[in-house]
Amino acid sequence: MALIKTTTVRDARVAMLQAAALIALALVHLPRGWTGAERIMASAVSNAMQRADGDHHAVGYYEGLIGGAEDSSGRGELTLKLMGKPNGWVRFNDAGVVRHLKADFLHFELIPDTDGVLFDEPFVTNSHGMYGPEVTVEKPPGVFRVALLGASIDMGWGVRFQDSYAYRLEQWLNAHAARRRFASARKFQVLNFAVAAYSPLQRLESFRRKVKEFEPDMVIFSSTLLDERLAEIHLCDVFRIQADVPYDFVREAIARAGITDSDRRVDARGDLPAKDAVKRKFATIYWDLYDRTVAELAGDCRSMNVPLMMIVVPRVGKDSDPKTRAEPVGRLKAIAARHALPIHDLTGAFDGVKPADLEIAAYDDHPNAEGHRRLFEALSHDLVTDQERYQLLFPGRKAVPEAALPGDLP
């Protein structure tokens, strides 16, 4: 059983980071936003500065964390060491909970019937490879199914599935129905198809391969402000493992970006030498590709007569500045509007709270159980005040006016 260990001795980690950062200053190129030794020392004494500084730095952080794309520079591993990665820590893809798919566009998936430990918490998947309780493929009578597509935050990285916002949402839907004594005997299931590091395209592929057969009544597509980085990691991995690209619109976008056969060449070690060039070119098509991905998913859902909604979830400490997150959130809202989809922005859920109180570790900005509680509360608040979504969940009932909401939902 693979184990990812966490450390509780924060002071010791800070001291180690101070020494390591000074050495690293002379050895590595500083990430964007770090302007010199003063910033390095500041990061050593501040929990907020112990995390990766900006999305550029997050590439190395997430490559190290998930063990996804090859990183011949060792940048990801060094990043994690500087941020206090303890001895005995292993990558997500090495933790015995994931299986890689040979030359496959999806690239990897959670192993069904896993019973392990991840970040000192139980990590249990059901027989279908979802991080959550067992369910049947066939939908039981009277059950309303919500399917969640997302990445690591949505999966519940670093927390028990019972503490994830997805599971809390299921519990709330059932409790809310019972508390308001709805005449309907409807029960709710929230099926969590999210997988750590899944890009928007992998979420679409997962929907087509897996979600459809479970006959969802509603689909939630979760976006994160790190999606661009997850998307470029995925694209580089697709080239590196020489997987076929199954979508015409993706192949057209790759050609439009000027990514050549030479860029996609894999060397004798199985690495992608032109990875940095691929990432630069990919940046020119990212938002268009995101738009087309959502369009494909929206089309699939409409053909099944299944409502689709989008949400935007934050990372701890990374998306706390409303001005910084305004531009990407605005783009996501524009995409949703183009495809007539409702979208709920949850990025303010962590505002005003110290990152150290919400993160699973100083070197990992995924939300802990308290962070997931705040995400759940933000989402349930939006659902209970959204007339169209509320009537979809609870037919014939009126949404609760904002002014009438108690402070303790449900």
Side-chain angles (χ1 to χ4, degrees):
M1 180 172 61
L3 176 64
I4 293 186
K5 298 181 179 178
T6 58
T7 179
T8 59
V9 189
R10 190 175 291 257
D11 290 342
R13 183 165 62 245
V14 169
M16 180 187 72
L17 185 64
Q18 286 177 320
L22 288 175
I23 296 172
L25 181 63
L27 298 177
V28 299
H29 175 68
L30 292 178
R32 185 178 63 196
W34 287 19
T35 57
E38 183 175 347
R39 285 291 304 280
I40 293 291
M41 289 303 296
S43 72
V45 296
S46 166
N47 286 335
M49 291 301 175
Q50 285 177 31
R51 287 175 297 274
D53 192 358
D55 280 353
H56 176 78
H57 197 30
V59 177
Y61 165 63
Y62 273 83
E63 286 179 348
L65 197 64
I66 65 176
E70 293 295 330
D71 187 9
S72 58
S73 69
R75 178 179 55 184
E77 184 69 16
L78 178 58
T79 296
L80 291 168
K81 285 183 180 296
L82 292 179
M83 297 170 75
K85 185 197 75 173
N87 292 331
W89 184 92
V90 296
R91 300 168 191 259
F92 177 66
N93 279 346
D94 298 327
V97 300
V98 169
R99 62 186 177 194
H100 289 82
L101 308 174
K102 186 177 180 180
D104 192 297
F105 186 76
L106 191 61
H107 189 29
F108 59 89
E109 61 187 4
L110 295 181
I111 300 173
D113 293 319
T114 293
D115 186 0
V117 175
L118 194 68
F119 260 92
D120 284 343
E121 296 289 354
F123 192 90
V124 180
T125 60
N126 63 25
S127 61
H128 312 290
M130 303 176 207
Y131 186 42
E134 187 59 53
V135 294
T136 60
V137 174
E138 183 179 359
K139 184 165 54 180
V143 168
F144 185 98
R145 280 183 163 171
V146 179
L148 174 64
L149 299 169
S152 54
I153 293 175
D154 315 285
M155 181 189 75
W157 174 286
V159 300
R160 301 181 312 149
F161 78 76
Q162 294 92 339
D163 290 326
S164 68
Y165 82 80
Y167 188 78
R168 289 174 185 265
L169 177 63
E170 177 180 290
Q171 298 299 297
W172 172 75
L173 288 169
N174 285 302
H176 189 71
R179 182 170 299 186
R180 292 183 173 268
R181 299 178 181 177
F182 294 131
S184 170
R186 173 179 287 181
K187 300 296 182 183
F188 294 90
Q189 291 180 341
V190 176
L191 307 185
N192 192 348
F193 290 91
V195 176
Y198 263 16
S199 71
L201 281 169
Q202 285 168 299
R203 293 165 220 167
L204 171 63
E205 184 71 2
S206 177
F207 177 82
R208 290 185 168 178
R209 292 192 194 186
K210 302 178 181 183
V211 177
K212 285 184 175 182
E213 66 174 337
F214 286 84
E215 301 181 71
D217 299 289
M218 177 179 176
V219 176
I220 299 177
F221 181 90
S222 177
S223 299
T224 170
L225 303 191
L226 194 69
D227 275 354
E228 183 173 5
R229 304 310 171 207
L230 297 181
E232 68 181 23
I233 290 173
H234 176 224
L235 185 66
C236 289
D237 278 340
V238 166
F239 295 162
R240 182 174 58 81
I241 66 176
Q242 299 179 302
D244 289 334
V245 177
Y247 300 107
D248 288 341
F249 77 92
V250 179
R251 291 192 291 269
E252 292 167 0
I254 290 171
R256 193 164 60 254
I259 297 174
T260 66
D261 289 342
S262 177
D263 293 330
R264 301 171 63 163
R265 181 183 61 82
V266 177
D267 65 21
R269 297 184 303 172
D271 295 339
L272 188 70
K275 181 176 66 175
D276 289 341
V278 169
K279 290 179 178 181
R280 287 194 299 271
K281 293 178 179 180
F282 173 75
T284 66
I285 59 166
Y286 168 68
W287 284 110
D288 177 62
L289 196 57
Y290 208 124
D291 185 280
R292 293 293 304 276
T293 301
V294 172
E296 290 284 319
L297 180 60
D300 283 4
C301 288
R302 290 193 180 101
S303 70
M304 298 170 59
N305 197 29
V306 175
L308 170 66
M309 63 175 282
M310 295 175 63
I311 61 175
V312 189
V313 298
R315 293 170 293 160
V316 176
K318 293 295 190 304
D319 307 320
S320 59
D321 182 0
K323 293 181 180 179
T324 301
R325 69 189 186 224
E327 192 269 341
V329 170
R331 284 180 177 267
L332 289 169
K333 288 181 177 179
I335 289 173
R338 269 195 295 278
H339 304 293
L341 299 176
I343 183 168
H344 293 282
D345 176 15
L346 310 183
T347 56
F350 301 152
D351 288 359
V353 184
K354 293 179 180 179
D357 293 335
L358 298 177
E359 62 196 0
I360 61 174
Y363 54 89
D364 194 313
D365 58 26
H366 290 88
N368 58 19
E370 172 62 16
H372 276 269
R373 185 186 68 80
R374 288 176 172 273
L375 288 174
F376 150 71
E377 287 186 347
L379 179 55
S380 60
H381 174 281
D382 283 2
L383 290 176
V384 85
T385 56
D386 182 328
Q387 184 63 44
E388 188 172 345
R389 244 54 54 200
Y390 195 72
Q391 287 202 354
L392 173 66
L393 295 166
F394 306 106
R397 296 286 177 160
K398 292 184 178 180
V400 180
E402 183 80 29
L405 278 179
D408 55 343
L409 280 172

